[in-house]
Amino acid sequence: MLVKESYSTISDRISPLLPDESSSWDQIYKIMPHATGLFLPVLIIWLIADIVSGESTRGTIKLLLVRPVSRVKILLGKWATSLTVTALLTFCFFSSLLATNLLLYGINGAEQPRFVNVDFSFTSVSEAAEQETIILPIPHFSEALVIPEWQYSILSMLFALLAMMTIASITFLSSTLFKSPMVSAGTALAAVIAGYILVQKMEDGRWLFWLFSVHLNPGNNWSGQLSANLKSDLSLGTGVTVLSVWTGISLLTAIYYFRKKDILNA
């Protein structure tokens, strides 16, 4: 079994934590949903919301359009700038998060095992006393892997970078659609906050798996925690696919609108 083979490679290096002992990796795991669901997206929106709309407001966008460069190339250049800024911000944030927690808690627990690639099936159970049906997640470990906690944390941060690229692309679309930077930022921010609240409150994700906000912490997809919480099989592949689709749709919509928009006479 993959679980047995994976576990055997790290079992001889594990130093168990005490029951009340905290580790850097536990703290990172607790912070990640809030960092990727709200804090980082707000920073990204603040930095990117005026990348197109700001130039439209100032009128400098017209100077770009009179040059012998296609609108698509201009927009792709600005989108690439948005992704670069997002990547740098995300890298700096996660580097600071990791360094701070290592200073506070040390490296203890780095080799603790973490299950990933856990599949789930779901069964309905009726509770006679409550007269309601509940859905129980049943984990399956036939294809699961066991990796050290430090590796899971680092890879989760890399996966989160993809999610932040999606936030950047949605914000970029908003900046393209609206001339006012405030409206652009407000629209993107409303989408992020609404999604964050929805994810915190919902208990059944079967009909909402297509929302980008559900997958902003792909590490939870990978570990199976998201599937267990939302009673739906939301694998890492599902999360990456949903985020990629949102990124692609945002970019294509921005390009289509920017090509058709009469900016020079606005």
Side-chain angles (χ1 to χ4, degrees):
M1 289 178 61
L2 290 175
V3 171
K4 183 177 180 181
E5 293 172 359
S6 302
Y7 184 78
S8 66
T9 64
I10 63 173
S11 59
D12 59 336
R13 304 196 304 270
I14 295 176
S15 178
L17 294 173
L18 297 175
D20 59 346
E21 185 178 1
S22 295
S23 73
S24 302
W25 320 102
D26 287 336
Q27 297 303 315
I28 291 173
Y29 182 77
K30 293 175 183 177
I31 292 171
M32 282 291 287
H34 307 291
T36 59
L38 190 61
F39 183 72
L40 269 174
V42 169
L43 290 180
I44 291 169
I45 291 170
W46 178 67
L47 289 173
I48 294 176
D50 70 338
I51 193 166
V52 177
S53 59
E55 293 212 39
S56 297
T57 300
R58 294 187 296 270
T60 53
I61 192 71
K62 296 179 181 180
L63 299 178
L64 292 176
L65 295 180
V66 297
R67 296 179 179 180
V69 181
S70 70
R71 290 192 176 195
V72 173
K73 288 184 178 180
I74 291 174
L75 204 65
L76 288 177
K78 290 188 172 296
W79 181 63
T81 301
S82 300
L83 297 189
T84 301
V85 170
T86 298
L88 290 173
L89 174 64
T90 304
F91 175 78
C92 291
F93 174 81
F94 283 137
S95 297
S96 300
L97 177 65
L98 181 60
T100 300
N101 278 281
L102 287 175
L103 285 173
L104 291 175
Y105 300 100
I107 62 172
N108 289 345
E111 298 294 343
Q112 296 298 306
R114 167 75 66 172
F115 285 103
V116 295
N117 284 348
V118 180
D119 293 323
F120 280 84
S121 61
F122 303 89
T123 184
S124 299
V125 178
S126 298
E127 289 190 343
E130 301 292 336
Q131 293 185 344
E132 64 178 16
T133 300
I134 61 174
I135 299 175
L136 295 179
I138 302 174
H140 301 283
F141 297 94
S142 59
E143 299 297 327
L145 296 172
V146 181
I147 62 175
E149 191 70 48
W150 70 266
Q151 185 177 340
Y152 170 78
S153 296
I154 298 298
L155 291 175
S156 292
M157 293 177 186
L158 293 177
F159 294 145
L161 176 60
L162 172 62
M164 296 307 102
M165 296 293 186
T166 300
I167 294 294
S169 298
I170 292 172
T171 305
F172 182 78
L173 170 61
S174 182
S175 184
T176 305
L177 294 177
F178 302 106
K179 186 175 182 179
S180 168
M182 290 187 64
V183 174
S184 171
T187 302
L189 193 60
V192 167
I193 293 176
Y196 178 78
I197 294 174
L198 182 63
V199 170
Q200 300 300 312
K201 298 295 184 182
M202 68 180 179
E203 298 180 354
D204 188 340
R206 287 176 294 175
W207 313 113
L208 298 174
F209 75 94
W210 48 270
L211 290 177
F212 70 89
S213 52
V214 173
H215 307 281
L216 291 182
N217 183 21
N220 274 357
N221 293 68
W222 196 28
S223 67
Q225 187 62 51
L226 187 65
S227 297
N229 289 345
L230 300 185
K231 315 297 190 299
S232 182
D233 191 12
L234 302 173
S235 66
L236 178 61
T238 300
V240 170
T241 299
V242 171
L243 292 172
S244 299
V245 168
W246 274 93
T247 299
I249 290 176
S250 297
L251 177 60
L252 292 175
T253 304
I255 291 174
Y256 177 81
Y257 181 79
F258 193 71
R259 289 183 62 191
K260 299 295 184 180
K261 186 178 180 181
D262 186 7
I263 298 175
L264 294 177
N265 296 320

